[in-house]
Amino acid sequence: MAYFGNNPQRGELQELYADLNDLNFEKKKEAVKKVIAYMTVGKDVSDLFQSVIKCLEFNDIEMKKLIYLYIVNYSRQKPDDAIMVIQNFRKDVRKSENPLVRALAIRTFGCLRVPKLNEYLIEPLKDCILDDDPYVRKTAVLCVPKVYEVSPDICPPLLELLQKLLEKESNALVLANLIQSMREIEVVSGKQIINLNQKIIQKLLLAVDECIEWGQIFILDYLATYNPQDSKQAEVIIERTLPRLSHINPTVTFCAVKVILKYLDFLDNGDLVKNLCKKVAPSLISLLSWNQPEVQYTILRNISLILQKFPILFENEVKVFFCSFNEPYYIKYEKLDIMVRICDSKNFGQVLNELLIYLNEADPHFVRKTIKSIGKIAITYDKAIDKAVSILVEFAKNVQQPTEPVQELLIQMQLIYKKNKSMYKHEDSLKIIYSIIDYANEPESKSACAWIVGEFGEFIPKSAEKMKEYIDNFQMEDRLVQLQLLTSAVQLYLKYPSQCSILIQQLITSAKDSFNPDVRDRTYIYWRLLSTDPEIVKTLVCFNSGAVQNFSKDLRLWETQDLVVALENMGSISNLFHKLPHQLYKNIKIKINNQQDVKIYKGEEKQEKQENQVQAQQSENQQNNKQEQQQQQQQQQDIDLLSFDDPPVNNISNNSNKPNLFELI
Amino acid sequence: MISSIVFINHKGEILVYRVYKDDITRSETTQFCAKIVATKENKECPIINIDGTSFIHITIKDIVVLATTKVNVNVAMTLQFLYQLVKVCRAYFGGEFDENCIKKHFVLIYELLDEVMDYGVPQIADADLLKKYIQEGGLKPELMNDVEKLKQLTSQATGATSWRPQNIVYRKNEVYLDVIESVNVLMSVKGTILKADVAGSIQMKCLLSGMPECKFGMNDKLLMQREPRKPGQTTTDKGITIDDLKFHQCVKLPKFDKERAITFIPPDGQFELMTYRITENINLPFKIMPVYNELGKNKLEIRVKIKSIFEKNLFGTNLAIKIPVPKNTANVSTNSAIGKAKHEPEQQGVIWRIKKYPGDFEALLRCEIDLGSTTNQQPWIKPPISIEFQVPMFTASGLRVRFLRVYEKSGYKPTKWIRYITKAGEYLHRL
C-alpha cells in the first residue's frame, strides 16, 4: 500500500535519487520498489535510469528482476544508457552457473528492443539456444522472435539454428515453445519458417503427451493448420490427438477437437469418421457446461461453425443449449442463437416449448430476441408455424405497454402472414394482434402494422378509419413507414374505393411534395396508375404472398467455401467475431481453400437427406437469383457478417418495392 | 500473442501493468479502463474489440484481469491463462485476491508475471512449481548457489512429470479420496425433467513417499466390459455409463484412450484427479412439487411438497429451498412440520431450511402470502424454485470407486480413505 502514493513531485524524485545512491542495501532496494510502483501507475521515472542500473552491482535476484523490469520499460527512451547494461547481461549469460539467472538475463536482453543493441545479443543468444539446461533453452527460443521483430536482417543464422533445434530437440516444453516462437516469426515475416517432415510431426505428437498444458495448445493449434499428405497420415495424427479429449484443461480439449475435425476431411474410411464423431461429441458437450462463463462463451461462439459443417455432432442434443436462469446474458444470447440454428423439422416443438419459457425473462432485449427466434422458426419450418403463432398470440394477449418485445412481435407477425396468409385465422391471431396495434412505436413495427391493415382490410373492423389515423400523421413518420403506408393505403382503396377515395386524395397531397425522392416517386407512380388503369395496380399491389423468399439462407452463418479456413482458426479472435482472419487482420494473407467441395457431415436419416437435397436445390436456384442482389446490398451497406440481426428493414422495403420495379420496366 | 496483462480495480484504475510486446500503448488501456470498466460494460461480454485491439478479460470479485492483444490469439487459451494467473496469485496470497493484496504484493506479482509469460506466450504457471523458485523476499542464498539443486529444479520444471518433485518422504503414507457430485436438474412447470446431468469431481489428497504409480478404477461400464470375468463369479453390477471424463495432467491419457485404465503419478498433496459428466440413469435425490394458488387479488398460497428419494439410512443435510415470492410481498406466514421457513426480502423469496432430512421421506410447506398494493401493472415473472442440499455417502450417478492401487519401489502399503457426497448444482424447478 505504502508504495502507491501521490504523484512523484520533484522533491520525491530527488529523495528517490538519494536513496538509490545510498550505501545501505535495504534502502536501495526499497527505493527500487518505489520506482517500480511509480512506473505502474504511469508516472515517468525515466530520469532515474542511471541510478537504478547502478544497483545491479548487488547479487540479489529479486532486485535484479525489478531493475530488469525497469530497464525493459525505459530502454527505448534511453538507448544510450541501456548500452551500459549490456556488459551485465553478457556476464550473466556467459558466466553464471545458475540457469535461472542465465534465463532471466537472456529473456530481458531480448526485450530491450533497441536495434543497435541487438548485435551484441546474437552470440549470447546462440549460446543459450544450445545451452545444456532445458529451462534456458525454452527461454532462449522465445527470444528469437523478439529480436526478429526489431532487427530481422541479423536473424538468418538464428533461424537456421531454430530449424536445426526443431530436428534434434528432445525436451517437450522446449519443442512447444520452439513451435510457438517460429509461428510468431511466420506471422511477422509472412514467410514459412517451419519445415515439417514426417520425423518432426512424430516428435510433436510425442511432445503433446509430455509438455505443460499451454505447450499442448501451441502444438495442437499448429497441427490444425497443417494439411496431411494422405489418409494414413491423417489417421495417425487423429489417433495421437484423441487422448487429449480427456484433458482437464478445456482449451486443450477444444484444440484437440479442432485438430480431429479438421483432419476428418482427409480420411477415406467412412466408418472411422462416424466413430470419431461419436467420440468428439461428448467432449464438446462437456465443454459447454464448463464453469467459467467466459470460456463457455468462446466455445459457444464457435458452435455455429461446427454445427454448419458437422450437423451430426449435435443430433438430438438441442437440450444442451437450454438456458439456465442464472447465466449471464451474453451466454443466453449465444444459446438462443444456436437453438434456432439447430432447430429442424423434427425438434422444433421442443425448441418452441423452451423459447416459450424465455418470454418470461426480465430483460426486454432478450425477450425481443426470443420473439424474433420464434418468428424465424415459424417461417423456416412449415410444420412449426401453427405452434409458433399460438405462442406469439398468447404473448400478445398479455401486452399492456409499448415495450421492445411488442415491436418485434408485430414485425414477426407481419413476416408470418407474408409467408402464410391463412394464419390470420389461427387462434384469432389477427384480432388479437390488431388489438395491440397502437403499441407500435418503431418504424419497422409501424410499417408492419400498416402492412397488416392494408393486407387484411376486409377482416378488420373500421380499417379505413385506422388508415386515416395513420395518414393524418403521415408527415411525422419515418420514410420506411411512409413507403409502406402508400402501398397499404392504395391496397385499401382498391378494396373500398368509395370509402377511401378522400383518404387517397389526402395521402397524395401530403406525400407528393415529400423531400424524400423514394416517397415522392412512389406517390407519383401510384397516382398516375390509379388515374389511368386501376386494374394494373390491383395485380401489382395485392401480390400473392404465397411465394415468399426462402429464409433458410439466414440460418447459415458462414459461406460454405469458408468453412475449412474457419475451422482451422477455431478458438481464435476472428472466429469469435464470426469472420475469417484476413477480414479482421490486414497483415494476414488470404488463405485459399484448395478443396473443391466442402464436406458436410450429416446424420443418417434418409428422409431428411432427400428433403435437404430438394431444399438445397431450391435454395441454390434462388441463391443464384438472389446472389447478385445480395452482393450489391452488402457492398452498399456493408452488412455486418457477425450479426444475427440482419436488418429486416431491407427485406421489407425490398419486398414492397418489387411490384413497383416491375411497373417501371 | 498477448501484448500486455493488466489488473484493474472496479473504478477503472490500473493496479498492475505488464507489457510483453511493444504494439500497445498505455493510453489504449486507460481508454478501455475509462470506457468499459468504469461503466461496467465489461460485464456484457468477455471480449471487446476497440480499434484493432482486443481486450480479453475476466472479473474476479472487483478486480478485472485483462489481457490485450493485436493478433489473432486463441481466446479460450487466453481466458484460461488469466484464470490460472489468478489461481497462482491466490496460492501465494493464502487464498485471497483483492485490491489490498495486489497492492501489498505488487513486487511479487511482477516477478510472477515475468515468469508465467514470456513475450506474450504462456509459460510455466503451476503454483506449486513456481513456489520452488519464486518466493516473496527472494530465495534462500543456499539454493541460489547450489548448482546441483538448481539443475534438479529446472529439469523438473521442464520435464514430463513437472508436477511432482523427487525425494518426498512421509512417515505414514495415506491417500484420501473424495467423490463429489453436483446434480444439475431443470424441471418443467409440469414436473417433467427437461435436462438432468451429474457433474462429478474426484478430489485426491496424496501423502505418499517417493514416486508412486497409482491405478484407479470405478464401476465404469466400458472398463468393466473389458475385464475378464473370473470363473464362478457372477456380478449384477454392470457399471454405469459415463458420458465424458476429463483428467488432471498427471493421468496418462494415451493409456486411458487405449485401455480405459486410469494410471498416474500423483502430485504431492491435494489435487483434482478428474471430472466427469453423466446423463444416464441419474437418481435424483429430491423431488419438489410446488402449487401456487392465487386467492384473490392480495393473497397467494404456495404449497411445496418435497420428497427424498434415497435409502432410509442416509441423510440429506443443509437443505435450503428457495421459493420465489412477488416483490410486493407484505407478510408471509409459513407452516411446516420440519425445518424453518422464513421470508427473506433481499432474496425475494421464502427460504425453507432443513438441517437434516431423512431418506424416503415427504414434507410439506404451506405459505400464505399477503401482497401489498402496487402500482406496477407488470405481471410477476416467476423465477424457478431452487434447492440446495448435500447427501453424504450417496452418488446420484451410482458411481463407485472399485479400487485404488499404489505401486512404489519401496513397496509400502498406504492407508486409503474414501468419502462420497452429492450436492445440488443448479437444481431448478420452473414455475
Side-chain angles (χ1 to χ4, degrees):
Chain A
M1 278 286 260
Y3 301 114
F4 287 80
N6 301 318
N7 311 345
Q9 305 296 332
R10 263 263 154 266
E12 283 184 29
L13 276 183
Q14 264 156 21
E15 214 173 279
L16 278 177
Y17 180 80
D19 283 354
L20 285 169
N21 290 308
D22 201 285
L23 288 175
N24 182 332
F25 172 72
E26 285 305 320
K27 226 172 183 176
K28 267 183 199 267
K29 198 166 169 178
E30 279 305 298
V32 172
K33 284 185 187 176
K34 268 188 194 156
V35 169
I36 299 296
Y38 281 137
M39 212 173 77
T40 300
V41 290
K43 300 289 174 250
D44 185 7
V45 280
S46 61
D47 288 347
L48 299 168
F49 203 96
Q50 299 250 7
S51 316
V52 172
I53 55 177
K54 262 190 217 151
C55 300
L56 271 177
E57 296 156 16
F58 293 91
N59 198 10
D60 179 88
I61 196 157
E62 196 188 17
M63 184 134 115
K64 200 171 227 163
K65 282 180 183 172
L66 289 175
I67 297 171
Y68 282 177
L69 189 67
Y70 177 89
I71 295 171
V72 168
N73 218 2
Y74 289 115
S75 60
R76 278 226 159 154
Q77 284 180 33
K78 307 250 170 187
D80 296 331
D81 290 338
I83 277 194
M84 305 195 310
V85 204
I86 296 282
Q87 277 316 318
N88 266 302
F89 284 127
R90 286 169 77 109
K91 201 177 89 198
D92 275 356
V93 172
R94 289 238 158 110
K95 304 247 170 75
S96 175
E97 292 212 336
N98 183 340
L100 295 177
V101 173
R102 289 205 297 276
L104 177 65
I106 201 72
R107 183 163 67 208
T108 319
F109 208 158
C111 293
L112 292 181
R113 272 170 253 235
V114 181
K116 63 178 169 185
L117 297 188
N118 276 336
E119 42 198 279
Y120 298 98
L121 178 58
I122 299 290
E123 286 309 313
L125 185 51
K126 275 187 187 165
D127 291 350
C128 286
I129 293 175
L130 302 171
D131 200 290
D132 284 342
D133 195 293
Y135 185 84
V136 179
R137 283 206 302 279
K138 77 133 185 137
T139 314
V141 291
L142 270 182
C143 201
V144 181
K146 299 178 194 170
V147 180
Y148 191 91
E149 219 185 335
V150 187
S151 341
D153 41 315
I154 57 169
C155 284
L158 287 175
L159 296 184
E160 242 169 70
L161 209 56
L162 288 188
Q163 181 66 30
K164 265 188 209 148
L165 194 64
L166 186 61
E167 271 157 39
K168 65 170 212 226
E169 178 60 60
S170 60
N171 183 292
L173 180 58
V174 179
L175 206 54
N177 268 0
L178 184 58
I179 282 290
Q180 190 56 36
S181 134
M182 291 172 93
R183 284 192 75 190
E184 297 275 333
I185 298 172
E186 283 188 347
V187 170
V188 176
S189 66
K191 283 180 250 163
Q192 190 189 340
I193 307 283
I194 307 174
N195 292 315
L196 275 189
N197 59 36
Q198 196 58 36
K199 214 179 117 207
I200 295 176
I201 291 176
Q202 278 298 332
K203 267 173 58 178
L204 288 179
L205 289 170
L206 265 175
V208 169
D209 282 342
E210 286 181 358
C211 67
I212 57 167
E213 46 199 348
W214 317 118
Q216 301 185 12
I217 296 169
F218 305 152
I219 295 177
L220 291 174
D221 255 352
Y222 176 67
L223 284 176
T225 63
Y226 173 72
N227 283 338
Q229 284 147 348
D230 51 30
S231 171
K232 187 79 201 116
Q233 195 186 21
E235 207 180 311
V236 170
I237 296 177
I238 289 179
E239 205 175 294
R240 301 301 294 270
T241 311
L242 269 175
R244 295 299 114 197
L245 291 178
S246 306
H247 198 281
I248 204 149
N249 182 326
T251 316
V252 173
T253 315
F254 194 51
C255 286
V257 169
K258 169 161 82 172
V259 171
I260 294 168
L261 291 184
K262 146 110 193 208
Y263 285 40
L264 280 188
D265 278 351
F266 297 87
L267 292 181
D268 305 332
N269 183 342
D271 285 340
L272 183 62
V273 170
K274 257 178 241 154
N275 267 332
L276 286 169
C277 285
K278 267 188 206 142
K279 281 194 172 173
V280 168
S283 293
L284 205 49
I285 289 165
S286 292
L287 291 181
L288 294 173
S289 44
W290 185 251
N291 56 13
Q292 295 157 349
E294 294 89 353
V295 176
Q296 210 183 331
Y297 172 78
T298 49
I299 290 161
L300 281 170
R301 287 292 287 182
N302 283 288
I303 290 295
S304 47
L305 164 68
I306 300 176
L307 209 54
Q308 203 177 323
K309 189 155 162 47
F310 304 92
I312 188 173
L313 288 179
F314 291 105
E315 265 194 349
N316 309 323
E317 292 292 357
V318 64
K319 275 184 192 175
V320 182
F321 301 103
F322 286 3
C323 301
S324 287
F325 190 74
N326 298 321
E327 272 168 340
Y329 271 104
Y330 60 77
I331 300 239
K332 288 192 185 179
Y333 280 116
E334 288 312 312
K335 287 191 169 173
L336 186 58
D337 193 291
I338 293 165
M339 272 161 69
V340 177
R341 290 179 204 283
I342 210 171
C343 188
D344 58 31
S345 50
K346 275 175 292 172
N347 64 13
F348 67 85
Q350 206 182 358
V351 174
L352 286 174
N353 273 334
E354 184 64 17
L355 294 185
L356 171 69
I357 303 286
Y358 303 158
L359 290 177
N360 292 329
E361 286 271 352
D363 180 52
H365 199 67
F366 184 69
V367 177
R368 176 172 198 157
K369 191 149 177 179
T370 304
I371 292 179
K372 187 166 183 173
S373 308
I374 295 174
K376 219 161 205 174
I377 292 171
I379 291 163
T380 318
Y381 303 102
D382 291 337
K383 290 183 205 152
I385 201 163
D386 280 2
K387 191 173 168 76
V389 171
S390 305
I391 292 173
L392 292 179
V393 167
E394 204 51 44
F395 181 78
K397 281 182 187 163
N398 291 322
V399 167
Q400 287 163 341
Q401 278 170 333
T403 54
E404 224 189 295
V406 178
Q407 312 306 317
E408 192 62 43
L409 177 70
L410 294 166
I411 296 167
Q412 292 305 323
M413 285 313 289
Q414 179 203 18
L415 291 174
I416 290 173
Y417 289 146
K418 269 190 179 167
K419 159 105 180 173
N420 183 345
K421 200 175 168 185
S422 64
M423 284 324 287
Y424 79 91
K425 284 183 283 193
H426 187 74
E427 308 243 348
D428 268 341
S429 70
L430 183 63
K431 193 174 146 199
I432 289 154
I433 295 300
Y434 186 69
S435 70
I436 59 165
I437 216 161
D438 287 339
Y439 291 132
N441 59 9
E442 283 177 11
E444 284 157 50
S445 53
K446 270 195 171 169
S447 125
C449 292
W451 183 89
I452 289 172
V453 173
E455 192 70 26
F456 295 104
E458 60 270 42
F459 307 110
I460 294 171
K462 298 181 184 164
S463 51
E465 277 173 38
K466 186 79 217 164
M467 191 53 80
K468 183 164 178 0
E469 246 177 67
Y470 280 131
I471 290 170
D472 286 344
N473 294 323
F474 187 83
Q475 303 286 5
M476 324 275 284
E477 298 295 358
D478 189 271
R479 180 190 63 103
L480 187 70
V481 186
Q482 291 182 337
L483 286 172
Q484 184 58 52
L485 273 176
L486 279 166
T487 310
S488 293
V490 170
Q491 221 174 349
L492 210 58
Y493 168 74
L494 293 170
K495 284 174 184 164
Y496 305 107
S498 53
Q499 273 184 45
C500 297
S501 60
I502 307 169
L503 202 64
I504 280 290
Q505 287 297 335
Q506 185 193 343
L507 179 64
I508 289 174
T509 338
S510 48
K512 72 178 166 48
D513 299 325
S514 166
F515 289 115
N516 187 302
D518 286 352
V519 176
R520 210 168 50 223
D521 288 355
R522 190 178 286 196
T523 317
Y524 278 99
I525 289 165
Y526 283 141
W527 192 2
R528 299 226 168 106
L529 277 172
L530 282 173
S531 50
T532 48
D533 189 357
E535 275 310 304
I536 293 184
V537 187
K538 203 172 239 171
T539 56
L540 292 175
V541 179
C542 307
F543 75 103
N544 184 359
S545 55
V548 180
Q549 61 283 75
N550 186 311
F551 285 85
S552 63
K553 174 88 167 68
D554 285 359
L555 297 181
R556 287 195 357 221
L557 186 70
W558 298 85
E559 293 298 330
T560 311
Q561 72 265 22
D562 292 342
L563 282 174
V564 176
V565 181
L567 187 66
E568 277 182 12
N569 289 291
M570 222 165 78
S572 68
I573 292 181
S574 58
N575 261 39
L576 202 82
F577 287 103
H578 295 163
K579 294 200 175 185
L580 294 178
H582 67 87
Q583 291 170 327
L584 209 59
Y585 298 95
K586 284 181 194 127
N587 57 348
I588 294 181
K589 276 193 210 146
I590 299 173
K591 196 164 177 181
I592 296 153
N593 172 24
N594 296 322
Q595 283 162 271
Q596 290 293 312
D597 311 303
V598 175
K599 286 191 202 167
I600 307 286
Y601 298 82
K602 282 198 179 116
E604 278 196 336
E605 275 106 282
K606 281 169 195 160
Q607 227 188 350
E608 178 95 306
K609 245 186 189 167
Q610 279 172 353
E611 260 182 37
N612 281 332
Q613 270 173 3
V614 175
Q615 259 188 9
Q617 272 181 1
Q618 280 179 353
S619 62
E620 226 170 88
N621 292 337
Q622 295 201 358
Q623 249 179 52
N624 290 338
N625 299 333
K626 278 176 106 184
Q627 232 158 29
E628 274 180 50
Q629 269 188 22
Q630 255 166 4
Q631 275 174 3
Q632 280 176 354
Q633 264 187 24
Q634 277 190 355
Q635 279 169 0
Q636 280 168 7
Q637 289 148 350
D638 195 19
I639 292 176
D640 197 357
L641 280 171
L642 268 179
S643 70
F644 176 64
D645 308 81
D646 36 3
V649 187
N650 302 309
N651 283 338
I652 294 166
S653 63
N654 270 347
N655 295 338
S656 43
N657 262 328
K658 258 178 209 159
N660 304 324
L661 286 174
F662 273 117
E663 159 54 21
L664 287 172
I665 300 160
Chain B
M1 274 287 200
I2 290 156
S3 299
S4 67
I5 297 276
V6 191
F7 290 15
I8 306 163
N9 72 8
H10 66 106
K11 286 182 248 160
E13 292 162 357
I14 293 177
L15 301 176
V16 170
Y17 182 79
R18 173 68 158 97
V19 181
Y20 292 97
K21 276 181 143 186
D22 254 359
D23 54 1
I24 186 142
T25 62
R26 195 181 168 104
S27 65
E28 282 174 279
T29 308
T30 45
Q31 208 184 1
F32 171 82
C33 293
K35 272 195 192 158
I36 309 296
V37 180
T39 56
K40 302 271 176 288
E41 217 178 288
N42 58 317
K43 299 241 163 77
E44 282 167 29
C45 186
I47 168 162
I48 290 168
N49 251 5
I50 304 174
D51 298 336
T53 308
S54 305
F55 296 87
I56 303 168
H57 58 86
I58 59 173
T59 310
I60 305 291
K61 284 191 192 159
D62 277 344
I63 306 292
V64 175
V65 185
L66 166 73
T68 64
T69 180
K70 295 214 168 174
V71 294
N72 204 12
V73 299
N74 185 327
V75 185
M77 180 186 76
T78 310
L79 285 164
Q80 277 249 276
F81 175 77
L82 295 178
Y83 271 107
Q84 186 62 33
L85 180 61
V86 174
K87 201 169 150 194
V88 169
C89 288
R90 279 183 197 272
Y92 271 91
F93 309 154
E96 298 275 318
F97 188 75
D98 55 33
E99 193 170 339
N100 273 340
C101 286
I102 293 170
K103 283 185 169 172
K104 207 162 116 197
H105 301 281
F106 83 98
V107 174
L108 177 66
I109 294 178
Y110 276 120
E111 214 176 319
L112 288 171
L113 281 172
D114 201 37
E115 193 60 41
V116 295
M117 186 169 259
D118 188 6
Y119 194 55
V121 179
Q123 298 293 305
I124 297 162
D126 180 291
D128 290 334
L129 196 55
L130 287 169
K131 276 184 178 170
K132 295 254 174 341
Y133 58 100
I134 295 182
Q135 277 161 20
E136 189 141 42
L139 286 173
K140 288 182 202 119
E142 302 100 83
L143 177 65
M144 294 313 292
N145 299 325
D146 186 338
V147 178
E148 270 315 301
K149 270 209 171 131
L150 283 167
K151 273 194 180 150
Q152 226 178 57
L153 177 67
T154 55
S155 83
Q156 189 206 333
T158 55
T161 43
S162 60
W163 56 86
R164 190 177 181 93
Q166 310 251 335
N167 310 330
I168 296 173
V169 182
Y170 284 100
R171 257 218 320 221
K172 194 175 169 201
N173 291 296
E174 288 176 300
V175 188
Y176 297 84
L177 267 179
D178 275 316
V179 179
I180 302 165
E181 295 200 336
S182 301
V183 196
N184 300 306
V185 185
L186 184 60
M187 302 260 233
S188 75
V189 185
K190 288 171 193 145
T192 50
I193 297 167
L194 289 176
K195 65 174 181 182
D197 65 80
V198 167
S201 158
I202 296 181
Q203 309 273 350
M204 213 170 166
K205 190 172 161 191
C206 284
L207 309 173
L208 297 172
S209 316
M211 279 292 193
E213 245 199 88
C214 302
K215 194 167 177 187
F216 177 75
M218 310 169 288
N219 55 340
D220 169 10
K221 193 172 174 182
L222 289 177
L223 178 65
M224 289 169 81
Q225 280 167 356
R226 284 164 187 258
E227 285 173 4
R229 284 273 164 80
K230 283 176 196 156
Q233 190 187 15
T234 49
T235 49
T236 46
D237 188 4
K238 286 210 183 79
I240 55 165
T241 315
I242 301 174
D243 288 51
D244 190 33
L245 295 138
K246 307 269 185 226
F247 295 105
H248 186 268
Q249 57 167 338
C250 67
V251 176
K252 290 172 184 150
L253 296 179
K255 196 150 185 186
F256 175 75
D257 191 52
K258 285 210 177 64
E259 304 163 24
R260 222 173 154 82
I262 305 167
T263 50
F264 55 97
I265 297 172
D268 192 32
Q270 199 152 1
F271 69 102
E272 184 173 50
L273 175 67
M274 57 178 271
T275 62
Y276 57 90
R277 189 171 54 85
I278 293 175
T279 52
E280 267 178 45
N281 295 327
I282 296 171
N283 306 310
L284 297 180
F286 289 97
K287 209 173 166 195
I288 332 169
M289 286 152 279
V291 184
Y292 269 65
N293 273 332
E294 279 178 42
L295 311 167
K297 228 181 158 187
N298 301 327
K299 231 175 167 69
L300 185 68
E301 184 202 44
I302 306 176
R303 270 181 300 179
V304 178
K305 197 152 75 169
I306 178 159
K307 191 168 184 239
S308 57
I309 315 166
F310 46 84
E311 281 170 47
K312 267 191 177 147
N313 56 351
L314 298 178
F315 279 93
T317 56
N318 298 325
L319 263 74
I321 301 148
K322 187 179 159 191
I323 303 146
V325 295
K327 261 188 191 156
N328 57 335
T329 298
N331 191 25
V332 182
S333 64
T334 60
N335 183 2
S336 69
I338 178 172
K340 268 188 191 147
K342 206 172 107 201
H343 177 220
E344 294 181 12
E346 70 279 9
Q347 297 235 41
Q348 280 185 37
V350 171
I351 316 287
W352 182 18
R353 291 179 208 278
I354 305 164
K355 269 251 158 67
K356 204 169 174 188
Y357 196 102
D360 192 18
F361 182 78
E362 218 175 82
L364 181 80
L365 171 76
R366 219 173 136 259
C367 307
E368 267 183 36
I369 295 166
D370 296 322
L371 300 175
S373 57
T374 164
T375 50
N376 193 354
Q377 288 296 311
Q378 286 282 340
W380 174 45
I381 295 155
K382 298 186 198 112
I385 289 191
S386 62
I387 162 166
E388 282 168 34
F389 58 77
Q390 294 182 344
V391 187
M393 299 321 283
F394 172 82
T395 50
S397 63
L399 181 127
R400 284 276 172 274
V401 175
R402 287 168 56 228
F403 57 80
L404 172 68
R405 298 186 192 118
V406 181
Y407 308 94
E408 219 278 333
K409 282 189 300 224
S410 59
Y412 58 76
K413 288 259 180 292
T415 327
K416 295 173 236 177
W417 308 91
I418 181 156
R419 281 189 299 192
Y420 297 92
I421 193 163
T422 292
K423 295 194 292 192
E426 280 212 324
Y427 212 91
L428 304 174
H429 193 296
R430 282 179 177 163
L431 290 172

